[in-house]
Amino acid sequence: MTKRDFATINLAGAGLAGSLMAVYLAQKGYAVNVYERRPDMRKVEGDQGRSINLALSVRGIQALRETGMEEHVMKMAIPMYGRMIHDENGLQTFQAYSRDRKSCIYSISRAELNKSLMTMAESFEGIRFHFNKACEEMDFSSGKLVVKDTISGEKSVAPGTITLACDGAFSAIRYDMQKTPRFDFSQTYLAHGYKELTIPPGAGGTFLLEKHALHIWPRGHFMMIALPNPDGSFTCTLFFPFEGEKSFANLSTTEAVHTFFSEYFPDTLPLIPDLLNDFFANPTSSLVTIRCYPWIWEDKVALIGDAAHAIVPFFGQGMNAAFEDCTVLNQCMEEHGSDWGKIFAEYQQLRKNNAEAIANMALENFVEMRDTVADERFLFRKKVEHLLGQKFGPYFSRYELVSFSRIPYEEAYRRGLINQAILDELTDGRSDLAEIDFEKAETLINERLGADFTIPGFA
Ligand code: FAD
């Protein structure tokens, strides 16, 4: 490690990325001030009783491991080994995520994870959290960050001239960066929104659906999913168009909601006793993809996590990608000591294209989840894909590459396209496994994916 000067670093936002990044910095000996706009979530009542959960996978777990937080966090996590598909008659079919049926992603409460990260971060001497402090304004020439107390309204200048902006999809610091010359920015909303509903635990905290699966009710243009919580409940999320014939706009009465659920999700009716109350009490939220460039300003500012690249949630990678940003930034710190110009430039160079790739894959996965998982053709190709993985070492599905490996997202995207082309050649015009030419498959895989390719952890 190169010699560094132990400067004070400002961190905007004590969300998932901010709380984790604070630890990476403290481990390097930096003093860190974390400014969070909201009150301390450990001391206030939760989010209207809702319990949002997230899928945590290998990239996120790696960051937790490096910061010494893996063991504690994984105690709160529930492994999910595949998708449980619910058809319109309530029939359930399990689709494993990986060829070995052992690899899994983990369901974890977003709030509990965030609280734990903060508590663990606070145990480091150099880290100080400042709640009810909104980052308000950034002076890019001096690196001065103006912070406003959200209770008193008082403004002050934070000490230090280096700011890591972890202030989420609607980042105030990125907003100021937008006013600098040649800053590219786009935000694109889906026509679908989402609403959260709850399946409560059964008697004695039992799980009323399979505990170790991510449940999906694919219905073509829309879908519902459910992830397990440690108390036996499931958090359901309905992804549904805002407007149109089948839309939130048209589900405006209790009768309409009941009829809709009876028709499309009949098996959930006995499981969601508060459906009608929850449906109207819980907000309908929007889904946005945010792209921007650059992510950095000289040696003074860098955007991290959703502030740099908010994505839609259909690959379960927003937080994982945000945590991977922190891992990469940490590597850049190891390489360049306290030369923040070099650290930021390399971080941006290593992450920007990967963020683009996962943003695209997340959008594409929405179509797969809501539509094609229930489609015969898709299921046949999935079967062939699993066989290719079992028979031929170098073949990994895109899902495996994204969720169970740490190869760059851009590379997972590239290999995923090659997979598609190989599957097209092997399955076009065929619908029976007996018709698949596995000799040809082996040749194509070795030629196009490389005979020696593997990812650690897979037999
Ligand atoms: P955030 O977690 O949003 O944190 C930003 C923080 O900054 C907040 O605490 C906020 O209060 C604070 N802040 C904002 N403005 C200011 C300001 N001006 N000054 C100071 N503080 C400020 N990801 C996954 O990996 N897996 C999943 O399964 C998954 N599911 C999802 C499901 C849904 C419905 C949604 C919407 C997202 C999902 N995500 C998932 C994405 C994940 O939630 C985000 O990618 C992740 O929270 C990003 O972390 P962050 O720290 O960058 O931002």
Side-chain angles (χ1 to χ4, degrees), residues 109 242 307 456:
S109 153
F242 277 105

Side-chain angles (χ1 to χ4, degrees), residues 189-411:
Y189 284 91
L190 284 191
H192 291 67
Y194 69 94
K195 188 182 283 290
E196 277 152 358
L197 302 165
T198 304
I199 297 178
T206 49
F207 288 83
L208 297 178
L209 294 171
E210 167 55 47
K211 176 181 177 185
H212 294 293
L214 190 154
H215 295 263
I216 310 182
W217 290 258
R219 295 296 181 261
H221 203 51
F222 59 91
M223 69 169 179
M224 188 158 76
I225 65 169
L227 275 74
N229 297 309
D231 66 355
S233 66
F234 287 82
T235 304
C236 305
T237 313
L238 171 65
F239 295 98
F240 199 49
F242 277 105
E243 279 115 25
E245 193 197 330
K246 289 197 183 69
S247 69
F248 282 117
N250 275 345
L251 294 184
S252 54
T253 63
T254 52
E255 291 75 21
V257 173
H258 191 268
T259 307
F260 172 72
F261 271 75
S262 310
E263 188 174 347
Y264 291 102
F265 311 116
D267 56 334
T268 66
L269 275 181
L271 301 176
I272 314 180
D274 283 336
L275 172 67
L276 299 178
N277 280 340
D278 284 358
F279 195 91
F280 291 105
N282 293 347
T284 306
S285 308
S286 53
L287 295 159
V288 70
T289 301
I290 289 179
R291 302 171 203 261
C292 66
Y293 190 81
W295 291 2
I296 60 171
W297 183 269
E298 297 172 357
D299 56 354
K300 297 189 174 64
V301 179
L303 307 176
I304 295 177
D306 278 14
H309 49 74
I311 61 176
V312 293
F314 305 109
F315 227 119
Q317 285 295 313
M319 164 188 64
N320 289 290
F323 282 5
E324 197 171 59
D325 286 349
C326 301
T327 305
V328 170
L329 191 56
N330 183 55
Q331 283 161 8
C332 298
M333 288 195 286
E334 310 233 305
E335 187 142 337
H336 299 295
S338 52
D339 188 337
W340 286 93
K342 281 193 182 148
I343 293 169
F344 285 164
E346 189 173 2
Y347 157 73
Q348 168 175 264
Q349 196 259 322
L350 289 171
R351 291 307 283 165
K352 171 61 186 163
N353 290 350
N354 288 313
E356 278 295 319
I358 191 58
N360 292 335
M361 289 190 280
L363 287 164
E364 290 169 18
N365 223 40
F366 186 28
V367 180
E368 171 168 329
M369 285 178 83
R370 73 181 196 218
D371 199 350
T372 42
V373 280
D375 174 272
E376 283 302 312
R377 182 94 204 117
F378 171 83
L379 293 176
F380 177 60
R381 283 168 68 94
K382 267 279 172 240
K383 269 190 204 151
V384 174
E385 178 155 71
H386 269 202
L387 279 175
L388 296 184
Q390 279 160 5
K391 283 176 185 287
F392 308 113
Y395 188 96
F396 291 92
S397 70
R398 186 165 88 172
Y399 193 88
E400 289 171 322
L401 295 169
V402 168
S403 301
F404 306 132
S405 98
R406 293 175 54 226
I407 69 165
Y409 288 124
E410 202 182 8
E411 176 65 3

